[in-house]
Amino acid sequence: MNLLTILSINLAVLFATTLTLWLLSLALRDVSIIDIFWGLGFVVVAWLSAALAGWPSNRCLLLVAITTIWGVRLSGYLAWRNIGEKEDRRYREMRSHWGDRFPLVSLFTVFWLQAAILWVVALPLQLGVRSTESLGWLDALGLAVWSVGLFFEAVGDVQLARFKADPENEGKVFDKGLWRYTRHPNYFGDFLIWWGFYLVAAAGGYWWTIFSPVLMGVLLMKVSGVVLLEKSISDRKPQYQSYVCRTNAFFPWFPKPQNQD
């Protein structure tokens, strides 16, 4: 099957799936379910692309495998964390701002926007699975980068979840483990995950899809990740500013020494 057909089918499936999720969100009055779909959306795209391409190589198997491991873990974690909780603060603010128009607005600015971004970011996966070339050193490098990213993302999530599970930590700032070296180890891990995917796709000849990890990096650091989250944390936890002063926002490094009065 030709590339244009594969890309078109993937886009149609993503829009149809997110439309279904939007209808479910209306019944639940909870737009947060779209966040749970994020990781699984890439899994769907990877498997569908591979099937349509005819599973042509070991690189195809590798990309599908690592996408599935990452996507299922991420969506599973978000489902465990979010199901049964209130709608995410971001969406509650949007709901309050748009009033009666929010349901329709959310379809375009949340569900279908996320489908479009997912499709663009997933291009290394959609193209990489079509490669028929043998695996090489660049694939190994991509797998290594992906593995480090998965470690930061998964371990960071577990460490923070354990901290929040203790009622005595209510209102406190977590600065241990990986969170001692970066304020967002999970976002940094996701950043590496996408560079890992890209390197494997690049090894198959699709080097020009570099805009995918670059776009993901911009989203994580400047748009929907660090900036958006830290604004809400700073409003709720005044002591967070001390953490900001001594700890890198994104890329891990040793904490800065604090001045002693």
Side-chain angles (χ1 to χ4, degrees):
M1 188 173 293
N2 66 63
L3 176 59
L4 182 59
T5 301
I6 293 175
L7 294 177
S8 299
I9 291 175
N10 284 338
L11 186 60
V13 167
L14 287 174
F15 271 88
T17 303
T18 49
L19 175 62
T20 303
L21 288 173
W22 173 71
L23 293 172
L24 180 59
S25 79
L26 297 182
L28 298 175
R29 286 190 59 81
D30 187 356
V31 173
S32 300
I33 59 175
I34 190 61
D35 296 336
I36 299 174
F37 175 70
W38 179 252
L40 287 179
F42 291 103
V43 176
V44 170
V45 166
W47 278 84
L48 184 56
S49 299
L52 294 174
W55 300 90
S57 66
N58 288 331
R59 179 171 293 103
C60 174
L61 295 174
L62 175 61
L63 278 172
V64 171
I66 60 179
T67 302
T68 301
I69 292 170
W70 166 75
V72 170
R73 189 217 70 85
L74 177 60
S75 288
Y77 170 73
L78 292 176
W80 170 80
R81 190 187 70 179
N82 293 348
I83 292 178
E85 300 294 328
K86 293 181 180 179
E87 185 178 50
D88 186 277
R89 181 180 290 101
R90 296 167 298 165
Y91 304 128
R92 294 203 306 268
E93 291 175 354
M94 289 180 62
R95 190 181 294 276
S96 175
H97 174 76
W98 288 103
D100 293 339
R101 290 181 292 172
F102 175 72
L104 186 59
V105 169
S106 69
L107 173 62
F108 292 95
T109 64
V110 178
F111 289 87
W112 278 353
L113 176 61
Q114 185 167 126
I117 293 174
L118 194 157
W119 181 81
V120 172
V121 172
L123 282 174
L125 305 177
Q126 299 181 74
L127 275 63
V129 298
R130 302 177 72 249
S131 171
T132 57
E133 298 180 21
S134 300
L135 296 175
W137 67 270
L138 194 55
D139 298 282
L141 178 60
L143 182 58
V145 171
W146 175 89
S147 298
V148 175
L150 186 66
F151 171 81
F152 267 86
E153 188 176 277
V155 173
D157 283 341
V158 169
Q159 290 176 340
L160 184 60
R162 287 178 176 174
F163 174 79
K164 288 184 173 181
D166 187 345
E168 293 186 1
N169 293 325
E170 180 68 28
K172 296 181 180 179
V173 174
F174 184 48
D175 60 355
K176 308 298 182 184
L178 295 178
W179 301 81
R180 170 179 166 82
Y181 305 100
T182 165
R183 302 199 298 272
H184 301 280
N186 47 353
Y187 289 159
F188 173 69
D190 204 39
F191 173 80
L192 292 184
I193 287 285
W194 281 97
W195 278 102
F197 288 150
Y198 165 71
L199 290 173
V200 176
Y206 297 102
W207 56 268
W208 51 270
T209 59
I210 192 171
F211 59 83
S212 168
V214 170
L215 173 59
M216 181 57 71
V218 171
L219 291 174
L220 289 170
M221 288 185 271
K222 300 296 184 182
V223 183
S224 61
V226 173
V227 173
L228 188 62
L229 180 60
E230 294 215 328
K231 182 181 184 301
S232 66
I233 295 178
S234 297
D235 292 341
R236 290 180 284 117
K237 299 180 179 181
Q239 68 271 37
Y240 192 76
Q241 190 57 44
S242 174
Y243 181 51
V244 169
C245 291
R246 67 178 183 271
T247 309
N248 276 8
F250 195 79
F251 294 100
W253 194 246
F254 295 100
K256 302 177 183 69
Q258 294 296 287
N259 294 328
Q260 301 294 325
D261 294 330

